[in-house]
Amino acid sequence: MTVSSPRPGTSTPSAPSPTIDLDALRGEITGRVIGPNDDDYESARQVMFGGIDRHPAVVVRVATVDDIRRVIELARETGLELAIRSGGHSARGDSTTEGGIELDLHDMTAIDIDPRAKTAWAEAGNTALAVTQAVTERGLAIGFGDTGSVGIGGITLGGGVGYLGRKHGLTIDSLLAADIVTADGELRRADADTNPDLFWALRGGGGNFGVVTRFQYRLADLPGIVGGMLVLPATAETVERFIALSDEAPEELGTIANVMPCPPMPFVDEAWHGKLVIFGLLCWAGDAASGAKALQPFRDLAKVGGLDAPIADLVHPGAFTEMYPPEDPDYHPLAVSLTGFLDRVDRTTAETIMTRLESLDAPMRAVQLRVLGGAIARVPDDATAYAHRASKIMVNVAAFYEGEQDRPQKMAWVRELLGAILQSDRGAYVNFLGDEGEARIRAAYPGATYDRLAEIKRRYDPENLFRLNQNIAPA
Ligand SMILES: Cc1cc2nc3c(=O)[nH]c(=O)nc-3n(C[C@H](O)[C@H](O)[C@H](O)COP(=O)(O)OP(=O)(O)OC[C@H]3O[C@@H](n4cnc5c(N)ncnc54)[C@H](O)[C@@H]3O)c2cc1C
């Protein structure tokens, strides 16, 4: 499921900045310096979402901590905008810049696992899939999100909501330490004992505080899962029941319900293509027998929807890595989306979701629902910079658009749908925010959370060098 609200990109190429001598920089950097005249410049500046078309003066594929220091210094010397990139999935396109400096962690991918201690250090250029593959080989796991190509940099610093959340918490709840180069060029350790204020801020506060070079995670035992895709007919009743079942299920079960038109997948009867379905993604983090039992009520929802069996049932025992199916690297969708939290999905909410989805004739439109709770909710609100521990259900509303002229209409539809279903919880998850302004950043960091982040920002980045993000202004 793609969720994005990209800023419209600029399309006029800018000349290389006269203030950067690329040849001199090449002599100073161990990694790769990519300028507008290099063959791989076009691919290096490409980010995940379509519609973001920016031209950095230089992309520096850093290889070492010293490279990172040098790039930070260069940004200070030149005054150019600095973008930090891990997996390149930012909905705002914050990991690239028009005319500025892009610090790309792509090549920093070392992973060092301590199987006895059940911990791993992973450099910040890794993807969720790469880390998951490495630890799964040892029967261990760390929960990221629903997409393998997402960078561990962005997802970890924002929180990390995924299949293992109810059992093991957010990604940040398994974060033990991080190494970070701050605006003054210092490499610092942040953990429970060393710079604990910074460690607090890094767990949800995004890229505001410096360049994280590597993360240390606690790993959970996970020899296997029962998981995959379950496609069910979408009716108000099946949607309501799916969420109720997800909420009642043991914490081993993580689900995502995408209510959307059925994509034309080869294993789905053509009669269903384009019809509204629950495109369910389920992951049972436990043994196969108890998984089969826990998942049966979801399979039975087919009957509630008037069918004998699910439209497609690809749920099976396997490795956790299978929750990250192969992705097309050339997939760059044009999408708008908004995020929020719901207290409940009752019949009225489910009916509104169905009616609104039926009201738009776009090939890709979706309401994504994720039941939270469990281990996520057992962490106090003020223990990390992710302050939505009590939020029950995450909702993302998304639509694809076709060109800039179509974007406002799709955005209006998304906005109206979300507005029609929101209840008392007005928070937002920072990693699903688009370019939505200060009030929404405050919704992600309510009250005291924002104030504390601003104070920590003042200490570590008083000049707001790291500002291409959901920005916290230094206090
Ligand atoms: C298809 C898709 C699926 C998603 N699914 C989920 C999901 O299931 N759960 C979830 O929680 N989120 C999900 N997200 C949201 C995702 O977590 C955020 O978009 C995240 O910021 C992407 O991280 P990235 O490293 O790929 O992005 P980038 O664009 O590379 O980075 C985003 C921002 O993070 C900061 N940043 C990244 N790395 C560093 C670093 N090492 N040091 C300092 N700052 C850094 C920078 O500010 C940067 O602009 C999804 C996004 C997409 C596009």
Side-chain angles (χ1 to χ4, degrees), residues 109-115 119-123 126-142 144 152 217 219-220 222 319-321 324:
T109 54
I111 301 175
D112 184 9
I113 302 169
D114 182 339
T119 60
W121 278 103
E123 282 188 324
N126 277 293
T127 60
L129 176 63
V131 177
T132 302
Q133 276 172 336
V135 302
T136 300
E137 285 169 16
R138 319 273 183 131
L140 299 167
I142 158 85
F144 295 106
I152 66 167
Y217 301 106
L219 305 173
L222 188 60
F320 185 46
T321 43
Y324 296 134

Side-chain angles (χ1 to χ4, degrees), residues 3-7 49 52 89-94 158 204 208 335-341 388 394-397 407 411 415 418 426-446 450 469-472:
V3 181
S4 150
S5 181
R7 271 185 301 206
F49 282 108
I52 297 170
H89 281 51
S90 156
R92 282 167 30 108
D94 278 339
N208 272 285
V336 285
S337 83
L338 288 173
T339 189
F341 293 111
H388 309 285
M394 184 173 285
V395 58
N396 293 307
V397 183
R407 193 172 186 276
M411 195 60 197
R415 193 174 298 286
L418 187 68
R426 295 296 161 138
Y429 171 42
V430 72
N431 269 350
F432 283 136
L433 279 187
D435 195 15
E436 299 172 39
E438 180 68 16
R440 295 287 285 161
I441 297 176
R442 297 271 179 167
Y445 301 122
Y450 189 95
N469 42 44
Q470 301 292 351
N471 196 232
I472 309 284

Side-chain angles (χ1 to χ4, degrees), residues 1-3 48-49 84-91 94-95 105 124 144-147 149-155 157 159-162 206-208 210-213 215 256 370 429 431-432 468-469:
M1 159 101 179
T2 303
V3 181
M48 191 263 171
F49 282 108
I84 312 300
R85 175 177 181 146
S86 171
H89 281 51
S90 156
D94 278 339
S95 40
L105 291 148
F144 295 106
D146 64 1
T147 301
S149 58
V150 165
I152 66 167
I155 193 167
L157 292 170
V161 179
N208 272 285
V211 180
V212 173
T213 65
F215 298 96
I256 298 179
R370 303 176 184 221
Y429 171 42
N431 269 350
F432 283 136
L468 265 185
N469 42 44

